Amino acid sequence: MKDEKNSKKGIADSDFLDFLVTTVIDITQKVAGMELVPSQEIPHGTTLDIASFSTRTNGDFRVSLAMSAHIDLLKEITRHMKGHTEVSMGDIEIYGGEYFNIIFGVFLSYVNNVLHTNTRFRVPLFSENLYPLRSLSDKRWYVRALSCPYGMMEVGLCKLSETEDCMEAQSYKIKE
Amino acid sequence: MGKSVLIVDDSIFIYESIKEMLLDSSFQVIGHAKSGETAMELYDELQPDLVTMDIVMPDMNGLESARNILERYPNAKILMISSLAYEDTIREAEEIGTCGFLSKPIERDTLIEALGQCLEED
């Protein structure tokens, strides 16, 4: 993927991904008390082991944003947020969705403050048994991996032009 | 009974968190609206002293919902609580007439202080 610099601010797209990763680590610590560290490996596992959240922005900074993670890791985050009780897939969708919501909100607030833009995002979409990022033939995605003892996570962003669109998460559904 | 609070947020996590944070405080949660649209109905019904309002929600966003409530109830005290805390949004919330803006994730002391400040306005 071509690393285009923002012409006004001299900020590379990869710099935005750096901040997204920093935000994920920081919010995960605050919300779930867990420490994620950058990883060179990619998450392994079947599609049944992984769930995803994704959204797109509306406004001046047009991107698709996505996070795929091992369900065990999302379960642990949800368990912390919910108060250490039993966790169902429904809980992961609800609590994980808010976790994702906070991460992308903080990230876009940073982008808006730096670029003086007004960008918001749609309510995140939860995708069970999907693994959108590594299934992509779309090279416009910037992706980074993070890990902790409960599993791995990938976060990514795909910059969009005025007319183009990155593929929706559902498009990557891997048939079992 | 403490000052009554209506929480407007589509997230059950935020609702539960705020409710727990306000236990043993001078504030009491009396209702939860999961969308901007239902916020007005619940406001009409409950007439809370304070409202906490998210921004990114299905149907109607929190800024529109806050604007609607304040048009009908100019003295309503609405504290915005959102992860989308950037200059334009904060300015828009101020222009609408909300009484404060907190960035998610929130902490108990900050929340109670902000709610108290909202009541001190006027």
Side-chain angles (χ1 to χ4, degrees), chain A residues 88 108 135 159:
Chain A
S88 66
L108 286 176
S135 312
K159 197 83 175 284

Side-chain angles (χ1 to χ4, degrees), chain A residues 94 98 109 112-113 118 120, chain B residues 12 83 85-87 92 104:
Chain A
I94 292 166
E98 182 58 22
S109 296
N112 284 327
N113 282 330
N118 189 357
R120 293 179 189 166
Chain B
I12 187 73
S83 55
Y86 59 96
E87 290 166 13
E92 189 177 344
K104 290 180 184 176

Side-chain angles (χ1 to χ4, degrees), chain B residues 7-77:
Chain B
I7 299 170
V8 184
D9 200 306
D10 58 325
S11 164
I12 187 73
F13 167 65
I14 294 297
Y15 166 65
E16 295 287 353
S17 297
I18 292 177
K19 207 165 77 167
E20 190 176 320
M21 285 177 193
L22 296 183
L23 285 175
D24 300 324
S25 77
S26 56
F27 303 97
Q28 183 178 15
V29 176
I30 59 165
H32 177 207
K34 291 183 178 176
S35 74
E37 283 188 344
T38 54
M40 177 61 89
E41 293 168 26
L42 270 182
Y43 194 96
D44 283 337
E45 181 188 332
L46 300 172
Q47 299 286 309
D49 297 310
L50 291 147
V51 177
T52 69
M53 179 78 74
D54 186 23
I55 291 181
V56 180
M57 291 185 287
D59 304 326
M60 180 190 291
N61 79 49
L63 291 167
E64 290 174 61
S65 180
R67 185 181 284 113
N68 289 347
I69 291 173
L70 284 160
E71 278 174 3
R72 191 148 158 189
Y73 299 99
N75 294 322
K77 305 294 183 192

